[in-house]
């Protein structure tokens, strides 16, 4: 079959989205997406993905690999950094 693009997932603040999509984790209707020093949580509402929250690295802007690994279990997001 053919793949058809149905939309684009992007953070509301595109200025701080450098590296957006370097890691992703999908669990049901929840999606975690990492960018440089930040992780975004999106939730699916019908056919749309809505940004619900973002989490910044606690290391004040250092490019420490925050978000290199991601997981969602129940209502908990796990964010790893090497």
């Amino acid at each position: 079959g053919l793949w058809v693009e149905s939309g684009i997932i992007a953070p509301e603040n595109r200025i701080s989205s450098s590296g957006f999509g370097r890691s992703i984790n999908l669990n049901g209707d929840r999606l975690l997406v990492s960018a440089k020093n930040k992780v975004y949580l999106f939730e699916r509402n019908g056919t749309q993905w809505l940004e619900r929250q973002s989490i910044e690295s606690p290391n004040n802007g250092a490019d420490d690999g925050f978000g290199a690994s991601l997981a969602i279990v129940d209502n908990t997001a796990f964010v790893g950094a090497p």
Side-chain angles (χ1 to χ4, degrees), residues 25-63:
N25 183 273
L26 175 66
N27 186 333
D29 289 333
R30 293 189 177 129
L31 174 67
L32 290 174
V33 182
S34 70
K36 183 179 178 183
N37 302 321
K38 205 168 209 180
V39 172
Y40 297 88
L41 171 65
F42 293 88
E43 286 187 330
R44 183 174 24 214
N45 183 4
T47 60
Q48 294 183 330
W49 287 94
L50 305 173
E51 183 180 327
R52 295 295 186 201
Q53 187 174 359
S54 63
I55 306 164
E56 291 193 36
S57 170
N59 291 329
N60 296 324
D63 191 7

